[in-house]
Amino acid sequence: MSHPEPPAVPSLTDYFAFLAENDIRIKGTRIGIEHILYEYIHNAKTAEAIANQFPTVSLEQVYATILYYLQNKTAIGQYLSDWLDYTLTAEAEQDNHPDPGIQRLKALKTSSAA
């Protein structure tokens, strides 16, 4: 009696789209792994809570992202560090040089509150 072949198990990297050295996304979404891992590492959220926060990401994809991080801590740790540095620099730049449209909105809000 022959047994059916078990279904193929995807490779861990099959869960991701490697768009650039600094841009790894969860395949089929626009969500970067940094967003999932930030919630997991810095906000101590569970995989279930993260999956609820990102409706386009399945629980399986969240677990795959966490496992990918755990198996590649040095490289992904650097990836996250670079992303945080970039984000903080971009936020500071935006605060120092706000878009003219934002400046007009803030002025309108201030004048209407007065």
Side-chain angles (χ1 to χ4, degrees):
M1 176 177 222
S2 70
H3 296 282
E5 286 289 322
V9 176
S11 165
L12 192 54
T13 56
D14 290 342
Y15 287 93
F16 308 107
F18 297 86
L19 303 178
E21 186 176 298
N22 61 351
D23 191 3
I24 305 171
R25 310 256 177 114
I26 297 172
K27 197 173 276 183
T29 76
R30 293 175 18 177
I31 307 295
I33 65 169
E34 63 275 8
H35 298 289
I36 302 299
L37 294 173
Y38 186 84
E39 295 301 328
Y40 176 71
I41 296 165
H42 296 283
N43 292 333
K45 289 190 178 176
T46 65
E48 291 77 9
I50 296 167
N52 287 333
Q53 182 177 342
F54 296 94
T56 61
V57 177
S58 71
L59 182 58
E60 181 179 350
Q61 290 171 314
V62 173
Y63 275 116
T65 304
I66 293 168
L67 181 58
Y68 185 69
Y69 162 70
L70 292 173
Q71 290 183 347
N72 301 281
K73 269 191 171 179
T74 301
I76 300 304
Q78 186 61 52
Y79 175 92
L80 290 172
S81 178
D82 293 346
W83 172 74
L84 283 171
D85 288 346
Y86 171 80
T87 301
L88 294 173
T89 301
E91 286 176 355
E93 180 66 24
Q94 187 174 8
D95 289 344
N96 292 332
H97 305 290
D99 181 87
I102 299 295
Q103 289 177 327
R104 286 192 298 277
L105 287 173
K106 284 182 178 180
L108 284 171
K109 183 177 178 182
T110 302
S111 67
S112 67

